[in-house]
Amino acid sequence: MSSNHKSPGISNALQYSLLFVSGVILTVILLILEFPSGLVIVIIMGLSVSIFTIRPMYLIYKSKSLPAINRYVIKNQKKPMFGYAYALAHGDNQDIEDSLKRILKKYKQKEIQTVYGANLALHHSDADALLEFAEKMTRKDYKEYYLGAAHLLSSDEVLANKFVAKLSTPWMIHSSNASIALRNKDGETFRLEANRSVESAAGLQRYILYHMFERMEEEKFS
């Protein structure tokens, strides 16, 4: 990927060292205060779970903070799923293609293959391949979302709108409407629907949508 983007200021190794030292200090303090050793263990384990499990899950699925999600993506960019998000935010078109291919190579589950295969087809503006992947999807909203995108890519806006009308997930509805507005060169509606899509999403999905729309606007209206 592009090498001109800075890594986080504090390395993962240093962060883990600081957390370990903090944990030791907290343990000593609790023992000095004569907390029962069993309670000390529970407290330390609870904090560890919060730091290493709950917080990452919150960032991936629930966070609304793009800067916080960005820091997490940068730290985990070598993992395929986060590599795709990183490429959208910091890379070029080749980086995006390479990141999608890494996901498809590593994860063989049908759902991942169809969704990220569809994303790669969309990246190539390949309507036939996108339609083929969409037809194989089992999740209803995703299927209708990508079928709508495929027909829009084929210049069949009427059929695309029929699939959009079936959607129930807010970010998908607004994302589809933004794509339709973009095709019609309606910049005002595109920005309105793009913002609504981002606002209705959370976590990594919010981050991906934000940077996807930024790229779309730059390529179409710059």
Side-chain angles (χ1 to χ4, degrees):
M1 290 193 179
S2 301
S3 58
N4 58 336
H5 298 283
K6 295 180 181 179
S7 297
I10 302 178
S11 68
N12 285 344
L14 180 55
Q15 287 187 49
Y16 292 141
S17 298
L18 290 172
L19 286 170
F20 177 77
V21 171
S22 299
V24 171
I25 293 171
L26 178 60
T27 301
V28 171
I29 291 172
L30 292 174
L31 290 174
I32 290 173
L33 294 174
E34 298 184 350
F35 276 65
S37 58
L39 181 57
V40 171
I41 292 172
V42 170
I43 291 172
I44 297 300
M45 288 184 65
L47 288 172
S48 299
V49 170
S50 297
I51 293 169
F52 294 108
T53 304
I54 296 175
R55 185 172 182 275
M57 294 297 284
Y58 174 78
L59 287 171
I60 294 169
Y61 294 108
K62 294 293 184 181
S63 178
K64 295 283 188 175
S65 172
L66 290 173
I69 300 167
N70 184 57
R71 289 191 293 271
Y72 188 78
V73 166
I74 291 173
K75 291 175 186 176
N76 292 276
Q77 62 181 278
K78 292 184 179 180
K79 299 175 183 178
M81 290 294 185
F82 297 104
Y84 171 58
Y86 180 85
L88 279 172
H90 303 287
D92 55 26
N93 285 334
Q94 187 60 53
D95 293 330
I96 294 171
E97 180 170 343
D98 291 343
S99 68
L100 287 168
K101 287 179 177 178
R102 277 195 294 274
I103 291 172
L104 293 170
K105 183 177 180 180
K106 184 174 179 64
Y107 303 103
K108 300 302 180 182
Q109 299 93 325
K110 181 181 177 181
E111 187 173 335
I112 292 177
Q113 287 286 312
T114 53
V115 170
Y116 285 92
N119 286 340
L120 184 58
L122 197 56
H123 184 67
H124 289 156
S125 298
D126 187 339
D128 291 335
L130 180 56
L131 185 62
E132 185 177 342
F133 280 114
E135 291 286 5
K136 294 177 182 177
M137 293 179 185
T138 54
R139 292 178 61 177
K140 184 175 180 290
D141 250 20
Y142 275 88
K143 185 170 188 172
E144 289 165 349
Y145 177 69
Y146 283 103
L147 283 172
H151 290 297
L152 185 63
L153 199 56
S154 297
S155 301
D156 192 340
E157 191 172 323
V158 174
L159 191 52
N161 275 312
K162 287 183 179 179
F163 284 104
V164 173
K166 297 178 182 179
L167 294 171
S168 59
T169 303
W171 73 258
M172 289 184 177
I173 296 170
H174 296 302
S175 175
S176 298
N177 288 335
S179 295
I180 292 169
L182 186 72
R183 184 171 186 82
N184 293 326
K185 298 181 180 179
D186 183 349
E188 184 177 349
T189 302
F190 168 77
R191 293 180 188 95
L192 178 65
E193 290 294 334
N195 287 336
R196 286 174 174 172
S197 180
V198 172
E199 286 303 313
S200 62
L204 199 60
Q205 185 64 62
R206 182 185 181 94
Y207 182 85
I208 287 171
L209 286 168
Y210 177 83
H211 291 289
M212 180 186 74
F213 289 130
E214 269 203 335
R215 286 179 172 276
M216 290 168 70
E217 181 172 16
E218 184 178 345
E219 291 173 6
K220 193 72 172 181
F221 297 116
S222 61

